[in-house]
Amino acid sequence: AAGTPGGIERTFIAVKLDGVQRGLVSEIIGRFERKGYKLVAIKSVVPSRPIAEAHYGDLRARPFFKGLVDYMTSGRAPVIAMVWEGPDVIRQGRRIIGATNPMDAQPGSIRGDFTLTVGRNIIHGSDSFESATFEIGLWFDPEEVYNWRFTNEEWVV
Ligand code: RTP
């Protein structure tokens, strides 16, 4: 059930513009696909200031907040916003991504393999059921999230 660890969940994952600039979109999507997760929404978007501020609302008091929002909204590249679905995808997604600070991110994780500094850590992933619900609703209209099923028959012919 939604919100039960180990149950089918949805999470909001975004390749940030530094990840787009570095050509890591397919690498990041590939890691979630190969793990077995299902891509139920994706779009390329330059977030408005209100969306970026709401997305990072819990960091409003932090000294890097304005710089972070300026960067996200700069339009130097879009953000690739996605919703991924599957068992435990919120916590597992955070493991696939790795720790926020690249010094703490394990090799084999996305940040461990590709990032050097916390301010350019290329990807975002929701950190709880509550933030996933909030972020999916913030970045996507309901009709942009498409419910589909894996099948290994119908596509062959
Ligand atoms: P995210 O939400 O992006 O997955 O990151 P997180 O939960 O692992 O980390 P959080 O503490 O929520 O920070 C959000 C994002 O803010 C930027 N940041 N910059 N310059 C700095 O010291 C600093 N600290 C954090 C990072 O882009 C981080 O992902």
Side-chain angles (χ1 to χ4, degrees), residues 16 55-56 58-59 62 64 68 94 97-100 111 118-121 123-127:
K16 300 195 268 192
H55 177 78
Y56 286 122
D58 55 334
L59 303 174
R62 305 290 285 277
F64 56 82
L68 180 59
R94 296 282 290 185
I97 289 169
T100 308
R111 286 170 174 162
V118 69
R120 295 288 184 267
N121 62 8
I123 182 168
H124 165 83
S126 306
D127 63 6

Side-chain angles (χ1 to χ4, degrees), residues 72-137:
M72 290 291 285
T73 58
S74 70
R76 288 158 64 190
V79 171
I80 306 302
M82 297 176 276
V83 181
W84 287 88
E85 182 183 285
D88 228 355
V89 69
I90 300 170
R91 287 190 305 177
Q92 280 278 6
R94 296 282 290 185
R95 282 168 60 88
I96 292 167
I97 289 169
T100 308
N101 190 326
M103 268 306 296
D104 301 326
Q106 297 294 324
S109 69
I110 291 168
R111 286 170 174 162
D113 287 349
F114 299 114
T115 71
L116 297 170
T117 63
V118 69
R120 295 288 184 267
N121 62 8
I122 72 172
I123 182 168
H124 165 83
S126 306
D127 63 6
S128 66
F129 177 75
E130 290 71 26
S131 62
T133 304
F134 172 73
E135 291 165 4
I136 291 167

